Amino acid sequence: MNVRNNNVIPQSIKRQVKQSIKRSLQHIAAAFGRHTRANKEAQLLILMYHRILPHNDERTKSEEPGMVVTPETFKQHMSILNDYFNIIKLSDWVQLKQNGKALPANACAITFDDGWADNYEFAFPILQELNTPATIFLVSDMIGTDEMFWPERLARLITTIASNYPQYWSHPELSWLQDNPENYLFSDTPPDSEEISRLCASAKKYSDDEIHIRLTHIENILQLDIDNGAPSLLNWQQVIDMINTGLVEIGSHTCRHIRLNEQTPAEVIKQEVFNSKKEIEKHTAQTIKTFCFPNGDYTPKALELVKQNYQGAVTTQSGWNTADTDTHQLQRIGIHQDIAHDKTSFLARISGWM
Ligand SMILES: [Zn+2]
């Protein structure tokens, strides 16, 4: 039977199916609530957010789908979490664990990576309204500048060329972009967010510095201006305003968002780990206790350096944490709009069902 054509299914059956799906989803949500309230284990759920942007915001066009949650969805997440969990600052949990103190049951920490200006614009008012603490991991050398991370630069460059100068695709300086197994057609049609995501994944075969150098080279040779005017990242005053409420704490996410992998020289890894902490402490007058590995990458040496300089660190490995989890390799659950747009999908995501 061809069920693709919705019109062949009678309305009464459609209604019954919808009602039965709704009932199943309500059972899932109720079971989740019963389980978490009865659970007295000292587990820690850490959520990983990046950008909070309204659905139609221009900035979402040059962003990968895994990076964004809308303010409405974010507010819904925060109120659900406040119902089920003890939301605490990440560094407070880490410190309790290190001091051998009792860990709270059903603990949850909210984290944001990178230090996007939209965190101040859209997430901070919601955190204040719901009195919810959070940790923001900053890339110290880029705060208060107009600089962009390379995925954003790459997305804007490709979108600008496709929209305005498709004739440039045949330029030899752009051949490295086309040398990838992805199926985006370099034409006058800008890539959609899934294609941007695949192009970024493909570019990761080069080091972060190498990608920046190549993008600068293309912008100079073709005389392209891909800047949209407004800075993408927070400035220090915004950071201090958030800290002063007592709700937001800051962690380090390196100086320049360099992946701490085998491609990165040992001396650079050392500087990224150490100098970012010093720089953030200089601007905020706070002790920076936690670290976040860019892209979730780290060598054994990088992990050792982070252990020497911070009380705890988060990765991109997915899962919950217990008292036995290494405090410097804490797992998180990544949250974005596509997989957590309503209560049921959000609960399913944080439970590890999807
Ligand atoms: Zn990051």
Side-chain angles (χ1 to χ4, degrees), residues 54-157:
H55 180 59
N56 290 324
D57 194 288
E58 272 294 304
R59 289 169 278 187
T60 59
K61 287 187 184 159
S62 55
E63 202 45 270
E64 299 171 64
M67 294 284 285
V68 182
V69 166
T70 67
E72 296 76 25
T73 301
F74 180 69
K75 187 172 178 180
Q76 189 189 26
H77 291 173
M78 293 306 107
S79 59
I80 294 168
L81 293 172
N82 273 300
D83 282 348
Y84 293 133
F85 293 91
N86 297 312
I87 306 183
I88 64 167
K89 283 180 185 160
L90 179 66
S91 69
D92 287 345
W93 192 89
V94 163
Q95 246 168 344
L96 287 173
K97 181 164 160 352
Q98 278 193 339
N99 296 338
K101 298 258 174 70
L103 295 169
N106 293 331
C108 173
I110 315 296
T111 68
F112 294 88
D113 286 13
D114 305 334
W116 295 94
D118 52 69
N119 293 176
Y120 181 82
E121 198 177 344
F122 298 108
F124 180 46
I126 296 168
L127 294 173
Q128 284 182 293
E129 188 185 334
L130 301 179
N131 198 30
T132 303
T135 306
I136 303 182
F137 293 105
L138 301 182
V139 178
S140 61
D141 286 3
M142 294 172 72
I143 293 302
T145 73
D146 291 335
E147 286 184 57
M148 281 180 271
F149 297 117
W150 68 253
E152 192 184 12
R153 279 185 85 184
L154 178 64
R156 289 196 191 185
L157 181 91

Side-chain angles (χ1 to χ4, degrees), residues 73-320:
T73 301
F74 180 69
K75 187 172 178 180
Q76 189 189 26
H77 291 173
M78 293 306 107
S79 59
I80 294 168
L81 293 172
N82 273 300
D83 282 348
Y84 293 133
F85 293 91
N86 297 312
I87 306 183
I88 64 167
K89 283 180 185 160
L90 179 66
S91 69
D92 287 345
W93 192 89
V94 163
Q95 246 168 344
L96 287 173
K97 181 164 160 352
Q98 278 193 339
N99 296 338
K101 298 258 174 70
L103 295 169
N106 293 331
C108 173
I110 315 296
T111 68
F112 294 88
D113 286 13
D114 305 334
W116 295 94
D118 52 69
N119 293 176
Y120 181 82
E121 198 177 344
F122 298 108
F124 180 46
I126 296 168
L127 294 173
Q128 284 182 293
E129 188 185 334
L130 301 179
N131 198 30
T132 303
T135 306
I136 303 182
F137 293 105
L138 301 182
V139 178
S140 61
D141 286 3
M142 294 172 72
I143 293 302
T145 73
D146 291 335
E147 286 184 57
M148 281 180 271
F149 297 117
W150 68 253
E152 192 184 12
R153 279 185 85 184
L154 178 64
R156 289 196 191 185
L157 181 91
I158 294 173
T159 304
T160 302
I161 294 177
S163 307
N164 304 318
Y165 314 102
Q167 69 276 17
Y168 287 168
W169 287 132
S170 55
H171 197 288
E173 293 297 333
L174 273 66
S175 60
W176 68 279
L177 283 175
Q178 303 193 35
D179 176 25
N180 67 69
E182 309 311 327
N183 48 11
Y184 169 63
L185 295 173
F186 289 79
S187 66
D188 56 2
T189 306
D192 62 25
S193 56
E194 292 293 343
E195 286 164 334
I196 288 173
S197 198
R198 288 198 295 272
L199 287 163
C200 287
S202 168
K204 281 182 185 171
K205 62 176 175 260
Y206 301 101
S207 74
D208 299 287
D209 278 342
E210 172 96 33
I211 298 169
H212 274 296
I213 290 166
R214 284 168 183 253
L215 293 176
T216 303
H217 192 58
I218 293 174
E219 285 169 31
N220 288 341
I221 280 200
L222 303 182
Q223 297 194 316
L224 295 174
D225 181 11
I226 60 158
D227 192 1
N228 77 342
S232 302
L233 298 174
L234 292 163
N235 61 47
W236 288 112
Q237 190 55 53
Q238 291 168 325
V239 171
I240 288 163
D241 285 352
M242 291 193 284
I243 292 174
N244 284 345
T245 62
L247 283 177
V248 175
E249 68 168 1
I250 299 301
S252 163
H253 197 31
T254 72
C255 299
R256 294 177 295 138
H257 208 272
I258 300 293
R259 284 170 278 160
L260 307 184
N261 58 20
E262 302 292 350
Q263 285 175 309
T264 307
E267 191 51 36
V268 174
I269 291 182
K270 202 169 161 186
Q271 288 165 5
E272 291 287 325
V273 171
F274 185 73
N275 292 353
S276 58
K277 178 176 159 75
K278 286 283 153 256
E279 185 69 10
I280 300 170
E281 289 182 344
K282 188 182 89 189
H283 282 277
T284 62
Q286 307 272 309
T287 303
I288 299 304
K289 300 168 189 159
T290 53
F291 184 86
C292 172
F293 296 100
N295 204 47
D297 291 353
Y298 51 94
T299 60
K301 180 69 189 160
L303 179 60
E304 195 187 311
L305 283 166
V306 167
K307 286 190 177 195
Q308 285 164 9
N309 288 281
Y310 298 87
Q311 294 178 12
V314 293
T315 66
T316 53
Q317 283 153 37
S318 192
W320 290 46

